[in-house]
Amino acid sequence: MQVSIRTKLLFLLLVALVPSLLVIAYKGLESSRAAQAKTHRDAFFLVDNLATQQLLITESIRAMFQTMAQLPQVRSLDQPACDLLFGKLLQDIPYLVNIGLFDPRGDVVAVGRPVKPFNNAGSRQFREAVATGEMATGEFTIGRISGQPSFQFAFPVRDEENRLLGVLQAGFVLDVFNETFSRAGLPPQTVLGILDHQGRRLYRFPPTEEFPAGDLAPAHLLTHFYGADRQGTLLAGGGDGRPRLFAFQQLRLSEQSPSYMVFHVAVLQAEALAESRRVLLLSLALMGGAILATLLIAGLMSGRLLLYPLGKLVAAARSLGSGDLAARSQLFHGQDEFGQLAQSFDQMAATIAQREMERNEALLKTERLLLEQEIALRENKRLNEVMAHHLQEPARRVAIFAQLLKREAGDKIGEAGPEVGRFWEFIENEAARLKNLINDAQKYLAVDSVEAGKGDSDAGMVIEEVCRQLRMESGSSDFRVETGLLPDLPIDQNNTRMLFKIILQNAISHADPDRSPLIRIDGEIANTLVRYRLADNGLGVAPQYREKVFNLFERVNNVNSGTGLGLAIARRLVEKNGGQIRLADSELGGVAVIFELPAKL
């Protein structure tokens, strides 16, 4: 289905207006976040206010207990006097439900408001007060007089010798916080909750039969309310499952004691965000109307002012896309938007044509380089073949004829003097060295003829084979090789054999004459690399020469008859396969050869 330019233009205008919608949506989201943050602050302030009110009540009860614990009528458990005292205090302190005095066994002695005799020894506040010798708090309980949930405090009465004389107890009604909560001005469905130390609901305002006092609060809320943070805010589902903004604060009798009560205020999230959402919907509606008006005007005015130059640009673009690199817009390059657009298009077309010409030239250059590389490889291969015959053959003939002359001359060589014997030995050694030099040069040139990264090799098997070969060639088993982990190498077996043979032969030829050669081989796979480390106990290589030894015909010393090509071949082989090779200190006292190759994924 084809779409007209006019439709595309209107669509572009619509897309251009989308950021405005996003800004409005973002502002609405920010407004919602601000409203949520304000609600959290208000709820947190209210919780802090209520907690402060509870702290004042607690401290006033503590002061009352401390004063009463010193009165003679309380210490002597004088029931009539205590009843009278407690009754007057209840008149002066309206939020107290009752005040009682109990003997050490927990039996009631005196109360401010009459109740049936009972034993209080099993209550939490009685036990804690006797055990700690300090004021203690209770837990969820129903008042014996009011029949409503109340909260109890207890305080031990002791004589000068710290003997327990009795226990004072006072309870207060929790609806004392209703007035402060109601004046806070939070949304209508906001809830005040008070929990005891177990997380049981002591009080809920406004009350509801769905969440009665004494029930445990939801477990996911208790995790936050009784966590390490003594106060805080969170967004979570309430008991009814609806999202609510919570603010909470723990109350403690001292810094070291656990929480005995938790206040929390829960604001329904929908109510907290209602105003910001109303503003957002209104803004979106107004923006939607503005978008429709803009599209209508743009559709009416597009005509000649927009469609003609766009048509010219479309035609030029099609020609350019079909391969006509000479295609241009044919529009005047004025200062208006379409003139600038036409100028940009024509410049782009010219740039494409220029780059296409440069690309073709680059392709030709690349083809020439590949051809030259192929010719160089063929020449290397031909040179390798020439060296195999035309250079190896003279060296082999010199060695053979030197041996024949030595055999024919026999004892006459000794009769000619020691110098003649040394000369003869020099001829044989140099012929052998020339042969080795040609062999190493062939290996060096052969590296380029091998395609990189082909095949995998069992390094352990190759190392065993190389060690056997070196022992056979030297006629000695004086050296030792210790191996650790030996991961497979991502190169073919012939190259793996050549690499290990060069490094091992180099270590043996540079052995310390005062000790038997020892080579330790360890490998590992590190990220995307296969890394091998071959450490020996030989003469070592000074740090300033560790890079130089990889050059052609470089030898650090003359303790062996090497050609000076071994490590150069090793580096050429490793780098051909995308790796690196270097020398490092050896824990055995000599030098360590480390090479890394890309692992196959």
mmCIF file of all heavy atoms in Angstrom, residues 466-503:
data_model
loop_
_atom_site.group_PDB
_atom_site.id
_atom_site.type_symbol
_atom_site.label_atom_id
_atom_site.label_comp_id
_atom_site.label_asym_id
_atom_site.label_seq_id
_atom_site.Cartn_x
_atom_site.Cartn_y
_atom_site.Cartn_z
ATOM 1 N N VAL A 466 57.892 -34.859 20.980
ATOM 2 C CA VAL A 466 59.059 -34.001 20.807
ATOM 3 C C VAL A 466 60.175 -34.410 21.761
ATOM 4 O O VAL A 466 61.366 -34.438 21.391
ATOM 5 C CB VAL A 466 58.664 -32.524 21.020
ATOM 6 C CG1 VAL A 466 59.905 -31.633 21.110
ATOM 7 C CG2 VAL A 466 57.770 -32.053 19.874
ATOM 8 N N CYS A 467 59.839 -34.733 22.996
ATOM 9 C CA CYS A 467 60.859 -35.150 23.970
ATOM 10 C C CYS A 467 61.552 -36.432 23.516
ATOM 11 O O CYS A 467 62.789 -36.562 23.627
ATOM 12 C CB CYS A 467 60.224 -35.333 25.344
ATOM 13 S SG CYS A 467 59.739 -33.781 26.121
ATOM 14 N N ARG A 468 60.786 -37.374 22.999
ATOM 15 C CA ARG A 468 61.408 -38.621 22.499
ATOM 16 C C ARG A 468 62.341 -38.313 21.339
ATOM 17 O O ARG A 468 63.457 -38.846 21.242
ATOM 18 C CB ARG A 468 60.318 -39.605 22.052
ATOM 19 C CG ARG A 468 59.577 -40.266 23.192
ATOM 20 C CD ARG A 468 58.801 -41.480 22.697
ATOM 21 N NE ARG A 468 57.849 -41.136 21.651
ATOM 22 C CZ ARG A 468 56.585 -40.785 21.881
ATOM 23 N NH1 ARG A 468 56.133 -40.741 23.119
ATOM 24 N NH2 ARG A 468 55.781 -40.496 20.877
ATOM 25 N N GLN A 469 61.889 -37.423 20.458
ATOM 26 C CA GLN A 469 62.709 -37.088 19.292
ATOM 27 C C GLN A 469 64.007 -36.396 19.710
ATOM 28 O O GLN A 469 65.090 -36.698 19.178
ATOM 29 C CB GLN A 469 61.903 -36.189 18.356
ATOM 30 C CG GLN A 469 62.607 -35.867 17.056
ATOM 31 C CD GLN A 469 61.740 -35.023 16.134
ATOM 32 O OE1 GLN A 469 60.603 -34.730 16.451
ATOM 33 N NE2 GLN A 469 62.295 -34.645 14.986
ATOM 34 N N LEU A 470 63.923 -35.474 20.667
ATOM 35 C CA LEU A 470 65.127 -34.778 21.126
ATOM 36 C C LEU A 470 66.094 -35.743 21.800
ATOM 37 O O LEU A 470 67.321 -35.605 21.664
ATOM 38 C CB LEU A 470 64.740 -33.650 22.089
ATOM 39 C CG LEU A 470 64.028 -32.442 21.451
ATOM 40 C CD1 LEU A 470 63.578 -31.470 22.530
ATOM 41 C CD2 LEU A 470 64.946 -31.747 20.457
ATOM 42 N N ARG A 471 65.573 -36.695 22.557
ATOM 43 C CA ARG A 471 66.464 -37.676 23.200
ATOM 44 C C ARG A 471 67.159 -38.551 22.166
ATOM 45 O O ARG A 471 68.335 -38.903 22.318
ATOM 46 C CB ARG A 471 65.673 -38.519 24.188
ATOM 47 C CG ARG A 471 65.254 -37.740 25.439
ATOM 48 C CD ARG A 471 64.665 -38.650 26.511
ATOM 49 N NE ARG A 471 64.419 -37.915 27.733
ATOM 50 C CZ ARG A 471 63.255 -37.369 28.063
ATOM 51 N NH1 ARG A 471 62.235 -37.512 27.228
ATOM 52 N NH2 ARG A 471 63.114 -36.691 29.186
ATOM 53 N N MET A 472 66.402 -38.907 21.113
ATOM 54 C CA MET A 472 67.009 -39.731 20.063
ATOM 55 C C MET A 472 68.072 -38.934 19.301
ATOM 56 O O MET A 472 69.149 -39.457 18.989
ATOM 57 C CB MET A 472 65.931 -40.224 19.087
ATOM 58 C CG MET A 472 64.976 -41.255 19.702
ATOM 59 S SD MET A 472 63.673 -41.723 18.538
ATOM 60 C CE MET A 472 64.664 -42.397 17.216
ATOM 61 N N GLU A 473 67.797 -37.671 18.998
ATOM 62 C CA GLU A 473 68.748 -36.868 18.235
ATOM 63 C C GLU A 473 70.009 -36.575 19.040
ATOM 64 O O GLU A 473 71.121 -36.550 18.492
ATOM 65 C CB GLU A 473 68.089 -35.549 17.811
ATOM 66 C CG GLU A 473 67.004 -35.733 16.773
ATOM 67 C CD GLU A 473 66.307 -34.419 16.463
ATOM 68 O OE1 GLU A 473 66.660 -33.408 17.095
ATOM 69 O OE2 GLU A 473 65.417 -34.406 15.574
ATOM 70 N N SER A 474 69.850 -36.342 20.350
ATOM 71 C CA SER A 474 71.023 -36.004 21.161
ATOM 72 C C SER A 474 71.717 -37.246 21.707
ATOM 73 O O SER A 474 72.858 -37.174 22.172
ATOM 74 C CB SER A 474 70.594 -35.106 22.337
ATOM 75 O OG SER A 474 69.714 -35.814 23.192
ATOM 76 N N GLY A 475 71.007 -38.371 21.682
ATOM 77 C CA GLY A 475 71.583 -39.584 22.248
ATOM 78 C C GLY A 475 71.719 -39.518 23.753
ATOM 79 O O GLY A 475 72.496 -40.272 24.333
ATOM 80 N N SER A 476 70.951 -38.616 24.368
ATOM 81 C CA SER A 476 71.055 -38.454 25.820
ATOM 82 C C SER A 476 69.669 -38.187 26.380
ATOM 83 O O SER A 476 68.799 -37.614 25.722
ATOM 84 C CB SER A 476 72.000 -37.290 26.165
ATOM 85 O OG SER A 476 71.940 -37.008 27.549
ATOM 86 N N SER A 477 69.450 -38.638 27.610
ATOM 87 C CA SER A 477 68.181 -38.367 28.324
ATOM 88 C C SER A 477 68.472 -37.560 29.575
ATOM 89 O O SER A 477 67.841 -37.739 30.606
ATOM 90 C CB SER A 477 67.479 -39.687 28.661
ATOM 91 O OG SER A 477 68.309 -40.493 29.487
ATOM 92 N N ASP A 478 69.454 -36.667 29.463
ATOM 93 C CA ASP A 478 69.918 -35.927 30.647
ATOM 94 C C ASP A 478 68.914 -34.857 31.088
ATOM 95 O O ASP A 478 68.989 -34.377 32.200
ATOM 96 C CB ASP A 478 71.267 -35.276 30.323
ATOM 97 C CG ASP A 478 71.902 -34.691 31.585
ATOM 98 O OD1 ASP A 478 71.691 -35.265 32.661
ATOM 99 O OD2 ASP A 478 72.567 -33.643 31.483
ATOM 100 N N PHE A 479 67.991 -34.444 30.228
ATOM 101 C CA PHE A 479 67.065 -33.380 30.600
ATOM 102 C C PHE A 479 65.740 -33.980 31.094
ATOM 103 O O PHE A 479 65.353 -35.083 30.727
ATOM 104 C CB PHE A 479 66.810 -32.441 29.413
ATOM 105 C CG PHE A 479 66.105 -33.085 28.246
ATOM 106 C CD1 PHE A 479 64.710 -33.073 28.167
ATOM 107 C CD2 PHE A 479 66.829 -33.692 27.222
ATOM 108 C CE1 PHE A 479 64.064 -33.646 27.098
ATOM 109 C CE2 PHE A 479 66.189 -34.274 26.160
ATOM 110 C CZ PHE A 479 64.793 -34.254 26.091
ATOM 111 N N ARG A 480 65.048 -33.173 31.961
ATOM 112 C CA ARG A 480 63.737 -33.587 32.491
ATOM 113 C C ARG A 480 62.688 -32.548 32.093
ATOM 114 O O ARG A 480 62.970 -31.351 32.072
ATOM 115 C CB ARG A 480 63.759 -33.703 34.014
ATOM 116 C CG ARG A 480 64.494 -34.926 34.517
ATOM 117 C CD ARG A 480 64.311 -35.113 36.029
ATOM 118 N NE ARG A 480 64.750 -33.956 36.794
ATOM 119 C CZ ARG A 480 63.970 -33.253 37.588
ATOM 120 N NH1 ARG A 480 62.689 -33.560 37.701
ATOM 121 N NH2 ARG A 480 64.440 -32.219 38.274
ATOM 122 N N VAL A 481 61.456 -33.022 31.833
ATOM 123 C CA VAL A 481 60.334 -32.148 31.491
ATOM 124 C C VAL A 481 59.183 -32.462 32.442
ATOM 125 O O VAL A 481 58.738 -33.613 32.529
ATOM 126 C CB VAL A 481 59.887 -32.344 30.025
ATOM 127 C CG1 VAL A 481 58.653 -31.481 29.739
ATOM 128 C CG2 VAL A 481 61.011 -31.985 29.072
ATOM 129 N N GLU A 482 58.745 -31.436 33.165
ATOM 130 C CA GLU A 482 57.587 -31.561 34.057
ATOM 131 C C GLU A 482 56.417 -30.820 33.427
ATOM 132 O O GLU A 482 56.573 -29.713 32.926
ATOM 133 C CB GLU A 482 57.885 -30.964 35.440
ATOM 134 C CG GLU A 482 59.010 -31.678 36.166
ATOM 135 C CD GLU A 482 59.304 -30.997 37.514
ATOM 136 O OE1 GLU A 482 58.707 -29.932 37.779
ATOM 137 O OE2 GLU A 482 60.124 -31.539 38.279
ATOM 138 N N THR A 483 55.228 -31.436 33.463
ATOM 139 C CA THR A 483 54.050 -30.818 32.841
ATOM 140 C C THR A 483 52.931 -30.659 33.857
ATOM 141 O O THR A 483 52.794 -31.450 34.779
ATOM 142 C CB THR A 483 53.553 -31.666 31.657
ATOM 143 O OG1 THR A 483 53.228 -32.979 32.133
ATOM 144 C CG2 THR A 483 54.605 -31.745 30.568
ATOM 145 N N GLY A 484 52.146 -29.609 33.658
ATOM 146 C CA GLY A 484 50.934 -29.364 34.443
ATOM 147 C C GLY A 484 49.723 -29.509 33.541
ATOM 148 O O GLY A 484 49.625 -30.453 32.749
ATOM 149 N N LEU A 485 48.793 -28.573 33.622
ATOM 150 C CA LEU A 485 47.624 -28.581 32.749
ATOM 151 C C LEU A 485 48.060 -28.261 31.320
ATOM 152 O O LEU A 485 48.801 -27.308 31.085
ATOM 153 C CB LEU A 485 46.611 -27.535 33.234
ATOM 154 C CG LEU A 485 45.319 -27.431 32.420
ATOM 155 C CD1 LEU A 485 44.516 -28.719 32.532
ATOM 156 C CD2 LEU A 485 44.490 -26.245 32.890
ATOM 157 N N LEU A 486 47.595 -29.070 30.342
ATOM 158 C CA LEU A 486 48.012 -28.911 28.950
ATOM 159 C C LEU A 486 46.773 -28.838 28.052
ATOM 160 O O LEU A 486 46.359 -29.833 27.456
ATOM 161 C CB LEU A 486 48.908 -30.078 28.513
ATOM 162 C CG LEU A 486 50.189 -30.308 29.331
ATOM 163 C CD1 LEU A 486 50.908 -31.556 28.857
ATOM 164 C CD2 LEU A 486 51.102 -29.085 29.236
ATOM 165 N N PRO A 487 46.143 -27.672 27.941
ATOM 166 C CA PRO A 487 44.970 -27.548 27.059
ATOM 167 C C PRO A 487 45.361 -27.668 25.594
ATOM 168 O O PRO A 487 46.499 -27.415 25.212
ATOM 169 C CB PRO A 487 44.438 -26.147 27.384
ATOM 170 C CG PRO A 487 45.609 -25.403 27.908
ATOM 171 C CD PRO A 487 46.463 -26.405 28.624
ATOM 172 N N ASP A 488 44.409 -28.058 24.755
ATOM 173 C CA ASP A 488 44.664 -28.181 23.322
ATOM 174 C C ASP A 488 45.012 -26.818 22.733
ATOM 175 O O ASP A 488 44.523 -25.777 23.176
ATOM 176 C CB ASP A 488 43.432 -28.735 22.613
ATOM 177 C CG ASP A 488 43.211 -30.206 22.945
ATOM 178 O OD1 ASP A 488 44.122 -30.818 23.530
ATOM 179 O OD2 ASP A 488 42.116 -30.716 22.634
ATOM 180 N N LEU A 489 45.886 -26.860 21.687
ATOM 181 C CA LEU A 489 46.273 -25.629 20.995
ATOM 182 C C LEU A 489 45.474 -25.500 19.699
ATOM 183 O O LEU A 489 45.262 -26.498 18.986
ATOM 184 C CB LEU A 489 47.765 -25.647 20.675
ATOM 185 C CG LEU A 489 48.701 -25.332 21.852
ATOM 186 C CD1 LEU A 489 50.140 -25.526 21.436
ATOM 187 C CD2 LEU A 489 48.483 -23.922 22.355
ATOM 188 N N PRO A 490 45.038 -24.263 19.353
ATOM 189 C CA PRO A 490 44.195 -24.065 18.159
ATOM 190 C C PRO A 490 44.998 -23.960 16.863
ATOM 191 O O PRO A 490 44.690 -23.125 16.009
ATOM 192 C CB PRO A 490 43.476 -22.751 18.490
ATOM 193 C CG PRO A 490 44.445 -21.989 19.316
ATOM 194 C CD PRO A 490 45.182 -23.018 20.130
ATOM 195 N N ILE A 491 46.069 -24.747 16.712
ATOM 196 C CA ILE A 491 46.843 -24.790 15.468
ATOM 197 C C ILE A 491 47.093 -26.256 15.138
ATOM 198 O O ILE A 491 46.939 -27.142 15.998
ATOM 199 C CB ILE A 491 48.179 -24.012 15.592
ATOM 200 C CG1 ILE A 491 48.994 -24.508 16.799
ATOM 201 C CG2 ILE A 491 47.915 -22.526 15.739
ATOM 202 C CD1 ILE A 491 50.353 -23.836 16.942
ATOM 203 N N ASP A 492 47.496 -26.523 13.897
ATOM 204 C CA ASP A 492 47.634 -27.918 13.482
ATOM 205 C C ASP A 492 48.828 -28.570 14.188
ATOM 206 O O ASP A 492 49.676 -27.901 14.799
ATOM 207 C CB ASP A 492 47.759 -28.017 11.961
ATOM 208 C CG ASP A 492 49.017 -27.323 11.443
ATOM 209 O OD1 ASP A 492 50.122 -27.696 11.868
ATOM 210 O OD2 ASP A 492 48.882 -26.393 10.629
ATOM 211 N N GLN A 493 48.887 -29.893 14.069
ATOM 212 C CA GLN A 493 49.861 -30.668 14.832
ATOM 213 C C GLN A 493 51.292 -30.410 14.379
ATOM 214 O O GLN A 493 52.213 -30.367 15.212
ATOM 215 C CB GLN A 493 49.525 -32.163 14.709
ATOM 216 C CG GLN A 493 50.324 -33.034 15.671
ATOM 217 C CD GLN A 493 49.673 -34.384 15.855
ATOM 218 O OE1 GLN A 493 48.466 -34.497 15.840
ATOM 219 N NE2 GLN A 493 50.478 -35.419 16.005
ATOM 220 N N ASN A 494 51.510 -30.192 13.094
ATOM 221 C CA ASN A 494 52.872 -29.949 12.611
ATOM 222 C C ASN A 494 53.429 -28.646 13.181
ATOM 223 O O ASN A 494 54.583 -28.584 13.640
ATOM 224 C CB ASN A 494 52.887 -29.897 11.078
ATOM 225 C CG ASN A 494 52.683 -31.264 10.463
ATOM 226 O OD1 ASN A 494 53.015 -32.288 11.086
ATOM 227 N ND2 ASN A 494 52.124 -31.310 9.269
ATOM 228 N N ASN A 495 52.617 -27.593 13.159
ATOM 229 C CA ASN A 495 53.070 -26.324 13.720
ATOM 230 C C ASN A 495 53.250 -26.410 15.225
ATOM 231 O O ASN A 495 54.155 -25.801 15.792
ATOM 232 C CB ASN A 495 52.079 -25.205 13.373
ATOM 233 C CG ASN A 495 52.252 -24.717 11.949
ATOM 234 O OD1 ASN A 495 53.360 -24.713 11.418
ATOM 235 N ND2 ASN A 495 51.155 -24.340 11.316
ATOM 236 N N THR A 496 52.365 -27.153 15.909
ATOM 237 C CA THR A 496 52.517 -27.338 17.356
ATOM 238 C C THR A 496 53.823 -28.063 17.668
ATOM 239 O O THR A 496 54.567 -27.692 18.589
ATOM 240 C CB THR A 496 51.324 -28.145 17.904
ATOM 241 O OG1 THR A 496 50.116 -27.443 17.619
ATOM 242 C CG2 THR A 496 51.446 -28.326 19.404
ATOM 243 N N ARG A 497 54.144 -29.093 16.870
ATOM 244 C CA ARG A 497 55.385 -29.848 17.076
ATOM 245 C C ARG A 497 56.601 -28.948 16.848
ATOM 246 O O ARG A 497 57.558 -28.949 17.635
ATOM 247 C CB ARG A 497 55.424 -31.042 16.123
ATOM 248 C CG ARG A 497 56.633 -31.949 16.342
ATOM 249 C CD ARG A 497 56.679 -33.057 15.304
ATOM 250 N NE ARG A 497 55.493 -33.898 15.366
ATOM 251 C CZ ARG A 497 54.528 -33.898 14.445
ATOM 252 N NH1 ARG A 497 54.628 -33.087 13.381
ATOM 253 N NH2 ARG A 497 53.467 -34.673 14.567
ATOM 254 N N MET A 498 56.549 -28.136 15.775
ATOM 255 C CA MET A 498 57.666 -27.243 15.494
ATOM 256 C C MET A 498 57.861 -26.233 16.625
ATOM 257 O O MET A 498 58.989 -25.973 17.064
ATOM 258 C CB MET A 498 57.405 -26.488 14.176
ATOM 259 C CG MET A 498 58.580 -25.604 13.738
ATOM 260 S SD MET A 498 58.130 -24.453 12.404
ATOM 261 C CE MET A 498 57.376 -25.567 11.241
ATOM 262 N N LEU A 499 56.748 -25.662 17.130
ATOM 263 C CA LEU A 499 56.827 -24.633 18.170
ATOM 264 C C LEU A 499 57.441 -25.198 19.452
ATOM 265 O O LEU A 499 58.378 -24.609 20.019
ATOM 266 C CB LEU A 499 55.418 -24.080 18.438
ATOM 267 C CG LEU A 499 55.305 -22.976 19.490
ATOM 268 C CD1 LEU A 499 56.148 -21.774 19.107
ATOM 269 C CD2 LEU A 499 53.834 -22.571 19.655
ATOM 270 N N PHE A 500 56.942 -26.324 19.915
ATOM 271 C CA PHE A 500 57.474 -26.908 21.157
ATOM 272 C C PHE A 500 58.915 -27.391 20.971
ATOM 273 O O PHE A 500 59.739 -27.271 21.893
ATOM 274 C CB PHE A 500 56.593 -28.068 21.626
ATOM 275 C CG PHE A 500 55.376 -27.623 22.383
ATOM 276 C CD1 PHE A 500 54.109 -27.896 21.893
ATOM 277 C CD2 PHE A 500 55.491 -26.923 23.578
ATOM 278 C CE1 PHE A 500 52.985 -27.488 22.579
ATOM 279 C CE2 PHE A 500 54.378 -26.510 24.269
ATOM 280 C CZ PHE A 500 53.111 -26.788 23.768
ATOM 281 N N LYS A 501 59.241 -27.935 19.796
ATOM 282 C CA LYS A 501 60.600 -28.424 19.584
ATOM 283 C C LYS A 501 61.605 -27.281 19.613
ATOM 284 O O LYS A 501 62.689 -27.391 20.210
ATOM 285 C CB LYS A 501 60.683 -29.176 18.252
ATOM 286 C CG LYS A 501 62.060 -29.821 18.033
ATOM 287 C CD LYS A 501 62.078 -30.675 16.781
ATOM 288 C CE LYS A 501 63.451 -31.336 16.611
ATOM 289 N NZ LYS A 501 63.507 -32.178 15.403
ATOM 290 N N ILE A 502 61.229 -26.142 18.987
ATOM 291 C CA ILE A 502 62.136 -24.980 18.997
ATOM 292 C C ILE A 502 62.398 -24.522 20.417
ATOM 293 O O ILE A 502 63.548 -24.296 20.826
ATOM 294 C CB ILE A 502 61.541 -23.840 18.157
ATOM 295 C CG1 ILE A 502 61.597 -24.195 16.664
ATOM 296 C CG2 ILE A 502 62.277 -22.530 18.412
ATOM 297 C CD1 ILE A 502 60.834 -23.222 15.799
ATOM 298 N N ILE A 503 61.323 -24.381 21.225
ATOM 299 C CA ILE A 503 61.476 -23.842 22.581
ATOM 300 C C ILE A 503 62.228 -24.822 23.471
ATOM 301 O O ILE A 503 63.133 -24.436 24.238
ATOM 302 C CB ILE A 503 60.096 -23.493 23.164
ATOM 303 C CG1 ILE A 503 59.419 -22.424 22.315
ATOM 304 C CG2 ILE A 503 60.223 -22.997 24.604
ATOM 305 C CD1 ILE A 503 57.989 -22.116 22.721
#
